[in-house]
Each structure stands twice: as structure tokens, then as C-alpha cells.
């Protein structure tokens, strides 16, 4: 149980260390994505067992579900921020925050590409494949979906608490949790993480569109 707890909480710990301690987005990326990428490989190797085959299925149903749900997320994110930006976001304060995190300059293009393309893949591999697989074996599918969605949401709270004031920072995490539930359901019903990856990618692109069109 201790090992499972560490696997669940460490992504949040690394986000906190990177953004709150070092206040540097590049260090945050290295810590966070390093964990998401290498820990599943290390655990499989350490156990010396043949890892389960990666659940990727590029069927029309998986792709269609991913695209439709992802577009709904994209439009919802962008539309909500456009409508309520004046009451939710202090643009100048947010720009200063991003500069403090060193999310500026020529490196922004690379960082945006990582967030929009690499982040969805690594997060879905970690939460809806690696952690879901481990937890579902012991607690069943439903609890696995809920638990992974909770811990997936936790480190987003660290980010949004800097952007929004209370209680909007807490409320902003609710859609993240619901998205985690949705992608977990896709994982169960479709037997693959293809749809979650596609949907997650489009949702993150929605966030990046907000950044490019509102914050810049």
C-alpha cells in the first residue's frame, strides 16, 4: 500500500517542487515527465515480470470517441474562458506568474508543444494504463477510475491556485476530475487508451489556444 501511495502522490510532489520551490517550468517538466516516463518502466523491470501489452486500439470507434469528446472539451475550455475571462483571470498577474516560472521567451514554443502533444500521451499512459492497471487488479475497475481521477486532479490544483483566487481555484479542478473519470470510463468501455489520449490532446490544445489568444 505504501508503494501504491507513493506512485499516486509523487506526480503532485514533483509539480509542487518544480513550481513552488524552484519556480521553474523546465525543472518541473523534467521532474514530472521523468517520473511519468521512467517509473512504469522501472517498476516493470524491477518486478522482473513481463509487462502487460499496451492497450492501444486505433479502431474507428476509439478515434471517433476521442475526437468528439476532445472537441467538446476544447470548445468548452476555450468558450468558458472567453466568456468569463474578465472576472476569473487577471491577465497581467498571470503574465507575471508565467515569467516567474520562466515560461517565456523562445522556449515557449517547445513548452507549448510538450503540453499539447507529449503531456496527454504520458499522463494517459501513467494514469489510465499503468496506475489503472495496478489498482483495478486489487480494487476493481470503478474504484480504479475514481482513485486515478482524484490523484490526477491533485497536481492541477497546485497550478490553478496560482491562477485563480478562492473558490474559483478549487472549482477549476472539478472539470479536471470529471475529465479523468470520463477518460477512465473510455478505458474500461473501449478497452484501450487511444480515445483518452486523443481526447486529452484536444483538451490540452484548448488550454494552449487560451494561452496564445488571451494571455499573449
Amino acid at each position: 500500500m505504501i508503494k501504491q501511495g507513493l506512485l499516486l502522490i509523487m506526480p503532485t510532489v514533483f509539480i509542487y517542487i518544480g513550481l513552488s520551490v524552484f519556480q521553474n517550468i523546465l525543472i518541473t517538466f523534467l521532474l514530472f515527465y521523468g517520473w511519468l516516463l521512467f517509473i512504469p518502466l522501472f517498476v516493470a523491470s524491477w518486478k522482473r515480470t513481463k509487462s502487460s501489452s499496451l492497450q492501444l486500439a486505433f479502431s474507428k470507434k476509439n478515434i471517433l470517441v476521442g475526437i468528439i469528446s476532445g472537441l467538446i472539451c476544447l470548445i468548452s475550455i476555450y468558450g468558458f474562458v472567453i466568456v468569463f475571462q474578465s472576472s476569473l483571470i487577471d491577465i497581467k498577474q498571470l503574465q507575471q506568474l508565467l515569467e516567474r516560472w520562466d515560461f517565456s521567451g523562445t522556449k515557449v514554443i517547445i513548452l507549448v508543444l510538450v503540453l499539447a502533444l507529449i503531456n496527454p500521451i504520458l499522463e494517459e499512459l501513467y494514469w489510465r494504463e499503468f496506475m489503472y492497471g495496478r489498482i483495478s487488479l486489487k480494487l476493481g475497475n470503478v474504484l480504479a477510475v475514481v482513485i486515478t481521477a482524484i490523484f490526477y486532479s491533485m497536481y492541477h490544483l497546485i497550478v490553478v491556485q496560482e491562477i485563480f483566487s478562492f473558490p474559483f481555484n478549487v472549482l477549476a479542478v472539478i472539470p479536471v476530475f470529471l475529465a479523468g473519470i470520463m477518460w477512465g470510463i473510455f478505458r474500461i468501455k473501449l478497452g484501450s487508451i487511444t480515445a483518452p489520449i486523443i481526447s486529452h490532446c484536444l483538451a490540452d490544445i484548448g488550454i494552449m489556444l487560451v494561452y496564445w489568444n488571451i494571455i499573449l
Side-chain angles (χ1 to χ4, degrees), residues 12-204:
T12 299
V13 171
F14 282 128
I15 291 291
Y16 175 80
I17 292 173
L19 293 182
S20 299
V21 178
F22 289 100
Q23 296 190 358
N24 185 282
I25 198 72
L26 182 57
I27 293 176
T28 304
F29 277 21
L30 291 174
L31 292 173
F32 178 68
Y33 293 124
W35 177 272
L36 296 191
L37 179 61
F38 292 111
I39 287 300
L41 298 176
F42 172 79
V43 170
S45 174
W46 179 73
K47 290 177 66 176
R48 295 183 180 180
T49 59
K50 184 177 180 180
S51 59
S52 60
S53 58
L54 180 62
Q55 299 301 311
L56 285 170
F58 292 97
S59 65
K60 289 183 179 179
K61 185 175 183 179
N62 275 279
I63 295 173
L64 189 62
V65 169
I67 291 175
I68 292 175
S69 62
L71 287 175
I72 292 173
C73 291
L74 187 157
I75 294 170
S76 299
I77 292 168
Y78 188 76
F80 182 83
V81 175
I82 288 293
V83 173
F84 296 102
Q85 61 173 309
S86 59
S87 58
L88 293 179
I89 301 176
D90 185 328
I91 302 297
K92 186 175 181 180
Q93 181 179 339
L94 182 54
Q95 289 173 335
Q96 292 173 349
L97 173 65
L98 293 174
E99 289 178 3
R100 190 169 77 242
W101 285 348
D102 199 26
F103 194 88
S104 59
T106 56
K107 68 176 77 67
V108 166
I109 295 178
I110 297 176
L111 296 176
V112 165
L113 289 175
V114 169
L115 287 171
L117 300 176
I118 297 178
N119 175 73
I121 296 173
L122 291 183
E123 285 193 321
E124 292 308 310
L125 285 172
Y126 189 84
W127 294 112
R128 255 62 70 177
E129 181 70 21
F130 175 65
M131 290 308 306
Y132 167 82
R134 292 174 64 89
I135 296 173
S136 63
L137 288 175
K138 297 182 178 180
L139 301 178
N141 293 337
V142 175
L143 279 179
V145 168
V146 174
I147 291 171
T148 52
I150 289 172
F151 283 90
Y152 164 70
S153 305
M154 283 179 61
Y155 53 82
H156 290 81
L157 182 60
I158 296 174
V159 178
V160 298
Q161 72 175 353
E162 298 277 2
I163 299 175
F164 305 114
S165 59
F166 183 83
F168 298 111
N169 49 11
V170 177
L171 294 175
V173 179
I174 295 177
V176 178
F177 171 75
L178 294 178
I181 294 291
M182 178 180 70
W183 295 327
I185 292 173
F186 290 169
R187 172 67 177 82
I188 294 174
K189 297 297 184 181
L190 301 174
S192 169
I193 60 169
T194 302
I197 288 176
I198 295 172
S199 181
H200 195 156
C201 182
L202 288 169
D204 282 1

